[in-house]
Amino acid sequence: MSAEVVWLLVGLFAAHYLGDFTPLLTERMLAAKREGRPVGPVALHGTIHGALAAGAIGITAAPPLGVLGLGAAIVLVSHFAIDLGRAQFSARYAALRDSGHRAFWGALGFDQLLHGLVLIAVAAVVL
């Protein structure tokens, strides 16, 4: 694996961390993700991820603008879809909203696995 691939993946995963585990994820976004509605804050959360991914792609890979945009769009759309799906399941099943339940951690792990696989696919598209 080339250094370029490694740095792109590091950048994408760092961007993902910033979008999901810092104050960039607001209380309103968290509430929407717990309750499955409204959709707007979840869409904004996906948009933040797309912007962060664009920054990571631009800094680490500097691809043509169209490729950078495609990578960012893939992250934006997939992050929104994955999080909205999890939010809708969480709205139906209380155990998925309670960190004291094993099901919560399984759902969180699966959510993060899906996001990670998307980031790997984006790296493949970009490079």
Side-chain angles (χ1 to χ4, degrees):
M1 183 179 313
S2 74
E4 185 180 29
V5 172
V6 170
W7 283 115
L8 176 56
L9 287 169
V10 167
L12 287 169
F13 277 92
H16 179 80
Y17 166 78
L18 290 172
D20 268 1
F21 299 103
T22 71
L24 291 174
L25 176 64
T26 67
E27 289 300 322
R28 188 161 183 245
M29 292 173 195
L30 279 170
K33 288 173 64 169
R34 272 191 305 274
E35 298 166 16
R37 59 180 161 45
V39 175
V42 182
L44 178 58
H45 177 63
T47 302
I48 289 169
H49 274 277
L52 291 168
I57 293 165
I59 290 168
T60 61
L65 193 54
V67 174
L68 187 149
L70 176 61
I74 291 168
V75 171
L76 186 161
V77 171
S78 67
H79 204 96
F80 170 71
I82 292 166
D83 281 10
L84 185 61
R86 180 167 177 228
Q88 290 175 343
F89 273 102
S90 295
R92 287 191 181 132
Y93 304 103
L96 298 179
R97 294 186 305 272
D98 182 353
S99 64
H101 282 275
R102 183 181 281 289
F104 170 89
W105 295 103
L108 176 63
F110 186 64
D111 169 273
Q112 294 301 302
L113 171 65
L114 292 176
H115 291 310
L117 292 173
V118 168
L119 297 178
I120 291 167
V122 166
V125 167
V126 167
L127 298 176

